[in-house]
Amino acid sequence: MRPNRPVTAILCAAALALTASACGPGDAEAGGDAKPTVAATLPGTDGIQIPDQLKEKLKEHGFDLEKWKGGAWKNWKREDWLREAGDYVNPIIEGLWDPDRMRDAEQPQRPSVDPDAGKDQGVTDPAPAAVPAKPAVAPYHKSVPEAGKVFFDGPEGSMVCSATVVKDPARPGKSNMVWTAGHCVHAGKAGGWYRNIAFVPSYNNAGKPSAQLKGAPREQVAPYGVWWSDWAQTSDQWIANGGPTGGAGAPYDFAVLHVTPEAGSGKSLEETVGSALPVEFGAPAVQKVAGITATGYPAAAPFDGQKAYQCADKPGRLSLNAADPVMYRIGCNMTGGSSGGGWVAAGADGKPALVSNTSIGPVKAGWLAGPRLGPEAKGIFNAVSGKFK
C-alpha cells in the first residue's frame, strides 16, 4: 500500500443559504503549504472578498469570475470538472443557498456494498442486527452541539451530508475545523471536487418537521450561521479509488474542512456552538470498543433529511480488502444523508471522542460502516490544522 499524501483544496466561500438531506441531488487550490492570501475586493462583486491566488486560479483554468457567479459553475463537463487538489477553485456566490434550497437538497448516492460484503475476509464479523435510529433530542444545540449538515453542489444537483465540529490543537477552544466523509467533498475515481461547500451546525435546531420549514427564515434553519469551507482535504486513496459501489476507497473515506463564517462575528465555530469533539486516532481495536454512537441527518426514505437521528451499537469488524485497514461496522437503519456524520466513543481519557464517520452501507439500510482513523487520517487532520495557525 503506498503512503498516503494529504490532498488539499482551497475553497473560497461566499454567501450561501441551505436546504437539503444528506448526500444527494436537488438543484445543482490547493497548493502545498500555501496559506490563504490577503483578499482583495473585486469590482462588480458586491464587496465579496476573493483571495488573489484564487482569482489567478480561475484565470488559469479559463474561468471568468462573473460568468462563474452567473451560473457557469453548473457546467459539469468532464474536461471542466477540476479533479486534482492543485486545480481546485470554488468562489463564493452571494445568495446561492437559501433555506428552501437547503431543505430540498437530496442525499447523494452513498457508496454502497453488498449486504454480505467482507464475508470471505477472515477479520470480518457477522453482519449486525439492524438498530432502529432514534431521533436526537431537540434542541440539537444542547444534545448534539457538534453535529450539523454539509451542503454542496454536484452534477446531479444540490446535495447534503452530515458532519461534526472537531477540536483544533493549533487553536485550543477556537476551532474552525469540521470532520465529514471524503465522498461528501470529492466524487472519487470517476469525478472531481464538489462545489459551493458550506457547513450548518445544529441544522433545524428545534427539530421541526419538513412542512414547517417551507418558507422558514434562515435564522430558524441555520441558527448558528452558515460556515463556508475555505479549505478541504481528503485522502489520496479516496480520490484514486473511491466510487459509489463496491466499497472501493471506503477505508479512507474521510475529510477535514476548515470553515469561515458567512457573517463574521469575530468568534470561531467552536466558540459559536460552544463545543467541539477531540479526534481519537489509533482508537482501540474493534473488540475493545464498548459502544459507538453515530449521529446524522438521514435523507432517503423513510427519513427526509430535516431531523437528526442517532444509532448506538457495539461495533464489529468489516474487511473489504485484506490489504486495507479493517472498518468499524454497527447495526443502524439510517439512510443516505447520514454520510459523514460522526461516530463517537470513549476516548483514551474516558471522555467522548470522534473515532470514525459514516461511510458505506448496503442499499437496503440495516448497517453502516466507517473507517478506523489511522496515520492517513491523522496526516490530513494535522495538515489542515497547520495551515491556519
Side-chain angles (χ1 to χ4, degrees):
M1 185 189 308
R2 62 186 177 86
N4 178 65
R5 173 176 54 80
V7 178
T8 59
I10 293 178
L11 303 159
C12 178
L16 304 176
L18 294 72
T19 294
S21 27
C23 267
D27 190 36
E29 127 168 297
D33 295 323
K35 294 179 183 291
T37 60
V38 176
T41 302
L42 300 182
T45 58
D46 301 321
I48 293 174
Q49 303 289 300
I50 302 296
D52 290 335
Q53 68 190 69
L54 213 51
K55 290 189 294 178
E56 294 306 313
K57 277 293 179 182
L58 282 170
K59 291 179 182 177
E60 212 176 284
H61 295 289
F63 294 124
D64 177 86
L65 178 62
E66 291 305 314
K67 290 182 179 179
W68 184 272
K69 288 170 56 185
W73 65 266
K74 297 178 182 177
N75 177 7
W76 293 96
K77 288 192 300 184
R78 176 77 182 186
E79 60 270 26
D80 293 329
W81 192 2
L82 302 180
R83 170 176 173 77
E84 302 302 325
D87 293 338
Y88 197 96
V89 290
N90 190 45
I92 293 171
I93 303 175
E94 185 81 30
L96 175 64
W97 294 98
D98 59 35
D100 285 339
R101 191 168 189 261
M102 285 190 271
R103 188 196 68 244
D104 294 337
E106 298 181 17
Q107 80 283 351
Q109 182 179 2
R110 182 180 65 198
S112 60
V113 294
D114 185 279
D116 294 326
K119 67 179 182 180
D120 295 326
Q121 296 289 343
V123 292
T124 291
D125 295 317
V131 173
K134 296 182 179 180
V137 177
Y140 303 144
H141 182 249
K142 289 188 176 181
S143 63
V144 283
E146 305 88 1
K149 297 179 75 169
V150 169
F151 295 90
F152 56 97
D153 282 296
E156 296 83 12
S158 56
M159 298 184 283
V160 63
C161 276
S162 301
T164 307
V165 182
V166 294
K167 290 185 178 296
D168 180 355
R171 303 184 77 231
K174 297 182 179 181
S175 175
N176 285 309
M177 292 173 65
V178 175
W179 193 282
T180 190
H183 74 264
C184 297
V185 299
H186 193 287
K189 184 177 182 178
W193 294 98
Y194 292 126
R195 300 167 182 169
N196 307 324
I197 301 173
F199 173 67
V200 175
S202 296
Y203 174 83
N204 185 22
N205 184 48
K208 292 184 178 296
S210 181
Q212 292 183 26
L213 295 180
K214 188 167 185 177
R218 179 186 280 196
E219 294 72 25
Q220 179 177 320
V221 175
Y224 296 94
V226 177
W227 296 72
W228 311 110
S229 177
D230 55 8
W231 196 273
Q233 212 163 312
T234 188
S235 68
D236 272 356
Q237 290 91 336
W238 175 258
I239 288 180
N241 304 309
T245 59
Y252 302 95
D253 184 15
F254 38 74
V256 179
L257 311 179
H258 183 277
V259 298
T260 187
E262 174 186 317
S265 66
K267 290 185 176 182
S268 67
L269 176 60
E270 182 177 358
E271 290 172 304
T272 300
V273 304
S275 186
L277 286 171
V279 182
E280 187 87 0
F281 298 103
V286 176
Q287 308 95 301
K288 297 182 180 179
V289 178
I292 284 178
T293 298
T295 301
Y297 284 80
F303 308 97
D304 65 8
Q306 305 312 306
K307 297 181 180 181
Y309 285 82
Q310 295 182 303
C311 286
D313 194 18
K314 181 174 175 55
R317 298 169 296 180
L318 175 64
S319 176
L320 299 175
N321 185 315
D324 288 333
V326 173
M327 300 178 73
Y328 291 115
R329 179 163 62 168
I330 62 172
C332 184
N333 71 340
M334 283 199 287
T335 57
S338 61
S339 291
W343 287 29
V344 178
D349 60 1
K351 297 179 181 179
L354 185 137
V355 298
S356 186
N357 58 263
T358 296
S359 172
I360 59 174
V363 174
K364 185 175 181 181
W367 55 261
L368 298 174
R372 189 175 174 200
L373 307 181
E376 296 84 4
K378 186 175 183 180
I380 288 172
F381 177 83
N382 288 342
V384 175
S385 173
K387 290 189 181 296
F388 293 87
K389 287 183 178 179

